[in-house]
Amino acid sequence: MLLCWYVYPALLLTDRRLQASRGLLAIFLINMLARALIELGMMYAWHSWHPWYGISHDLFSLLLCLVLGAKTPAGTSLLRTYFLAMAFLFAVESFFAWYMMTHISSEQGPVFYVPSDPAHFTLLLSTGVIVGMTWLFLAWFTRRWLYLPQPA
């Protein structure tokens, strides 16, 4: 997901063929960079992180991606597809964070991974499927992006 949230938007911002959508990409990237700075500080410096913060940001970002996708200029349907895919990933991450918060606990503090016991097999399997789908999407997206026509 880090590739989808940070690397791709930064690279897309540099593409002159997507000039009309640079503002939308910048909004998305700024949103994600703000999340990174705040979340990392809360987790590792202030030790005040709670999963509801992440879920709230995921839901905000989901709505933001839907709005950005709707505002994507005509002729850049590839970016609309990108924003819709990101909205889907935020929905998945929201569910994953909620699941972690409500089904997995530890006496040592927060747990940021799913234990590999049979009770969580369905979640682990679905996570693997979604990760695989994300890689397939990125391969498809990258190919389409690299072969976008040059502006006239």
Side-chain angles (χ1 to χ4, degrees):
M1 294 226 206
L2 297 177
L3 194 63
C4 295
W5 292 345
Y6 300 101
V7 176
Y8 270 76
L11 291 172
L12 292 167
L13 268 170
T14 66
D15 190 337
R16 282 187 255 133
R17 297 171 298 175
L18 302 173
Q19 187 78 18
S21 300
R22 289 181 82 190
L24 301 175
L25 288 162
I27 290 169
F28 179 76
L29 187 56
I30 289 167
N31 175 54
M32 295 312 298
L33 290 171
R35 174 194 181 135
L37 293 173
I38 293 167
E39 188 170 316
L40 289 172
M42 290 180 81
M43 286 177 127
Y44 299 110
W46 307 300
H47 305 285
S48 61
W49 180 254
H50 192 279
W52 280 118
Y53 299 141
I55 292 170
S56 298
H57 185 268
D58 287 340
L59 295 176
F60 169 79
S61 296
L62 184 156
L63 293 173
L64 178 66
C65 285
L66 294 176
V67 169
L68 294 175
K71 295 212 175 276
T72 302
T76 53
S77 63
L78 187 61
L79 279 182
R80 184 173 293 117
T81 303
Y82 171 79
F83 285 128
L84 291 175
M86 293 308 101
F88 171 76
L89 289 177
F90 284 118
V92 169
E93 180 167 281
S94 295
F95 173 78
F96 186 80
W98 170 83
Y99 183 91
M100 295 287 294
M101 184 176 62
T102 58
H103 291 82
I104 300 170
S105 61
S106 169
E107 294 174 9
Q108 289 83 21
V111 177
F112 298 109
Y113 64 92
V114 177
S116 60
D117 64 53
H120 307 293
F121 175 77
T122 303
L123 183 70
L124 291 169
L125 178 63
S126 59
T127 300
V129 168
I130 290 168
V131 167
M133 288 172 42
T134 302
W135 281 110
L136 289 173
F137 168 77
L138 286 176
W140 172 86
F141 180 85
T142 302
R143 182 169 169 74
R144 291 278 315 268
W145 171 42
L146 292 175
Y147 290 102
L148 279 176
Q150 293 294 329

